[in-house]
Amino acid sequence: MDNIAHASSAEVEKVIQQRNQRLATRQKINNRIADDGSLLGSTSDISHLLLHELSIFVNKLSQANSLAEMRASTESLKNAIGAIEGKVASGEVELPYQIKGQTAALDEALTRAHGVSNLLK
């Protein structure tokens, strides 16, 4: 709700409650799991790992001449992240986007990306 000035009192109260809940959740994460710098560091580490592994995969795949070579091109990526699928499937690990919902998580990411892009123009 971007233009809260024209909203009804009930709508304003709902927005305030949602924002307060989000702040409370973020504070719990900060206190119990990791501070913002640690979360950013983990995100950076994973982004770099995936970028590196994807680069290895793409380069090997682009040179593959057979199905066996295509399968072999996945080994490094599989070794790096393959176990995650089983951990999620068994419930050992739950990912935040699963709680939010995939559509909501993607919408949030795209909205943020678009907003940052607009600021960079």
Side-chain angles (χ1 to χ4, degrees):
M1 181 174 291
D2 291 336
N3 193 356
I4 202 164
H6 299 309
S8 71
S9 294
E11 291 171 320
V12 171
E13 183 63 30
K14 183 178 179 182
V15 169
I16 291 170
Q17 287 175 352
Q18 289 172 337
R19 289 179 182 170
N20 286 341
Q21 180 60 44
R22 179 173 274 184
L23 288 171
T25 300
R26 287 182 177 165
Q27 190 61 42
K28 286 179 187 174
I29 291 168
N30 191 54
N31 290 336
R32 298 178 189 176
I33 309 300
D35 59 52
D36 292 342
S38 295
L39 290 170
L40 183 58
S42 293
T43 301
S44 178
D45 291 344
I46 295 302
S47 296
H48 294 136
L49 178 142
L50 290 174
L51 183 61
H52 181 237
E53 291 297 333
L54 184 59
S55 176
I56 292 168
F57 171 63
V58 167
N59 288 325
K60 286 182 179 178
L61 184 62
S62 71
Q63 296 172 359
N65 293 310
S66 67
L67 181 57
E69 289 177 348
M70 290 175 70
R71 286 187 175 142
S73 71
T74 67
E75 282 306 307
S76 181
L77 189 57
K78 183 178 178 184
N79 290 336
I81 64 171
I84 294 170
E85 178 186 16
K87 290 179 180 187
V88 171
S90 72
E92 179 183 345
V93 171
E94 219 171 8
L95 301 171
Y97 86 87
Q98 294 174 296
I99 307 302
K100 289 180 177 182
Q102 184 172 334
T103 300
L106 287 172
D107 287 347
E108 282 182 15
L110 292 174
T111 298
R112 286 187 185 110
H114 183 69
V116 170
S117 295
N118 283 336
L119 289 173
L120 293 174
K121 289 180 183 177

